Amino acid sequence: MKIAFVINQTHKETARFTTTLLALKAHQMGHEVYYIGLADFYYESAYIAAHVRKVMPDQMLTSADRFMEVLRETEKTKVSLEEMDVVWLRFDPVLDMVSRPWAGASALQFASFLKAKGVLVINDPDSLGRASNKLYLEEFDESIRPKTIVTRNYADVVRFFEQQNSLIILKPLKGSGGKNVFLINKDNQQNLKQTVEAIARDGYVIGQEYLPEAARGDIRFFLLNGEPILINGKYAAVHRVQQGDEIRSNVHQGAKTQGAVISAELLGMVDKIKDKLIQDGMYFVGLDVVGNRIMEINVFSPGALCQAEEILKEDFSGFIINKLEEKLAFSKKLSLK
């Protein structure tokens, strides 16, 4: 299998990224692995290629650190993307929103062309265009999501703040990694106006009700083709616990990970969203769950799979690549009919 991972930029990838874990596992299982940066695509007269870095199976790499070293040392070569079996979109559009605002949208366009030519592209590029910010969650059953407003108007936020008993979360509509996430309450409400203005400089502001369970962190829960990833009775998930006075549960913001208790209520929420995820072609996603609400559906590059494997001692990445092999085989069988 030839599998290409579309990432922001190679030099920004690390050995602890979920993309690295998946790419290394695919390599170890005998597949050809290619990395494509957002600025590496090439198009000419309906021919789609890219300047890629490739890691061949015969290089026999065993560690994520060595994998990244080899990848960075590899010279780029131009290859036809129409020859790829799988193109996996694993970039974060927010990282390039300021310095390269064209990058993510262009990548989705090229990926849509590839999809039309019969290449298996995950997650579905046409749906990703619609799911590129947190409004995507609003397309799902309201019983599984928090009360939310989206606005750039300060008076709207004030009204919502009062409706929610002076306790809300504010963050950018298009954001990731816990950047510019604020808890506003009675003690700091004097900062509300400047907080709204600061977030609104880069776009729309999203306000959400604050759930008391958030004080104990959140659960990152992985789904594959709408279903929980389950091995030996263990779900691919971690409980992320923020440290000190930090309100964000993102790992790279200092949160610690531990085993997660997966309740019947959480699985019930998955049942309410899985059909739409499958319909939208959201093959691999990460849910951020607090209490009885899904706070976010991460569809581009959900992370923390490394931590899930380390804590639970299960080969979730191998499971995912195996299922991808099956999906590819099924897709090829359908195309022959």
Side-chain angles (χ1 to χ4, degrees), residues 108-152:
L108 291 180
Q109 282 186 298
F110 290 123
S112 292
F113 286 148
L114 288 170
K115 173 190 167 185
K117 288 176 175 287
V119 177
L120 177 58
V121 181
I122 54 175
N123 289 334
D124 184 277
D126 299 323
S127 293
L128 281 176
R130 197 179 72 251
S132 60
N133 63 49
K134 295 176 177 62
L135 265 178
Y136 183 56
L137 181 61
E138 298 301 302
E139 297 185 23
F140 293 82
D141 191 303
E142 65 179 354
S143 69
I144 58 93
R145 49 185 167 82
K147 294 183 179 67
T148 299
I149 66 163
V150 176
T151 185
R152 297 185 74 251

Side-chain angles (χ1 to χ4, degrees), residues 108-258:
L108 291 180
Q109 282 186 298
F110 290 123
S112 292
F113 286 148
L114 288 170
K115 173 190 167 185
K117 288 176 175 287
V119 177
L120 177 58
V121 181
I122 54 175
N123 289 334
D124 184 277
D126 299 323
S127 293
L128 281 176
R130 197 179 72 251
S132 60
N133 63 49
K134 295 176 177 62
L135 265 178
Y136 183 56
L137 181 61
E138 298 301 302
E139 297 185 23
F140 293 82
D141 191 303
E142 65 179 354
S143 69
I144 58 93
R145 49 185 167 82
K147 294 183 179 67
T148 299
I149 66 163
V150 176
T151 185
R152 297 185 74 251
N153 183 283
Y154 173 64
D156 293 338
V157 178
V158 171
R159 281 194 295 273
F160 185 69
F161 180 67
E162 293 170 349
Q163 290 168 1
Q164 298 304 315
N165 298 313
S166 303
L167 187 59
I168 61 173
I169 294 289
L170 292 179
K171 52 190 175 182
L173 177 62
K174 195 178 181 75
S176 67
K179 184 178 179 182
N180 291 333
V181 177
F182 301 93
L183 172 65
I184 305 295
N185 56 29
K186 291 179 180 178
D187 295 332
N188 65 2
Q189 61 182 315
Q190 70 275 8
N191 299 326
L192 180 57
K193 186 173 180 61
Q194 71 180 69
T195 301
V196 172
E197 290 174 348
I199 299 174
R201 278 198 292 267
D202 294 323
Y204 277 91
V205 180
I206 184 168
Q208 291 180 329
E209 67 173 313
Y210 178 78
L211 301 176
E213 296 91 342
R216 299 190 293 273
D218 69 5
I219 293 175
R220 167 57 58 85
F221 192 74
F222 292 98
L223 302 179
L224 192 67
N225 200 32
E227 298 290 344
I229 300 170
L230 181 64
I231 303 177
N232 297 323
K234 301 174 188 176
Y235 290 98
V238 291
H239 183 183
R240 304 182 300 184
V241 183
Q242 61 268 52
Q243 302 299 295
D245 296 329
E246 179 60 70
I247 65 168
R248 297 168 295 184
S249 299
N250 306 83
V251 172
H252 68 268
Q253 298 291 352
K256 303 299 182 183
T257 54
Q258 61 190 41

Side-chain angles (χ1 to χ4, degrees), residues 23-39:
L24 176 60
K25 181 61 65 173
H27 165 75
Q28 291 172 340
M29 293 171 66
H31 302 299
E32 295 180 21
V33 173
Y34 300 77
Y35 267 58
I36 306 170
L38 293 183

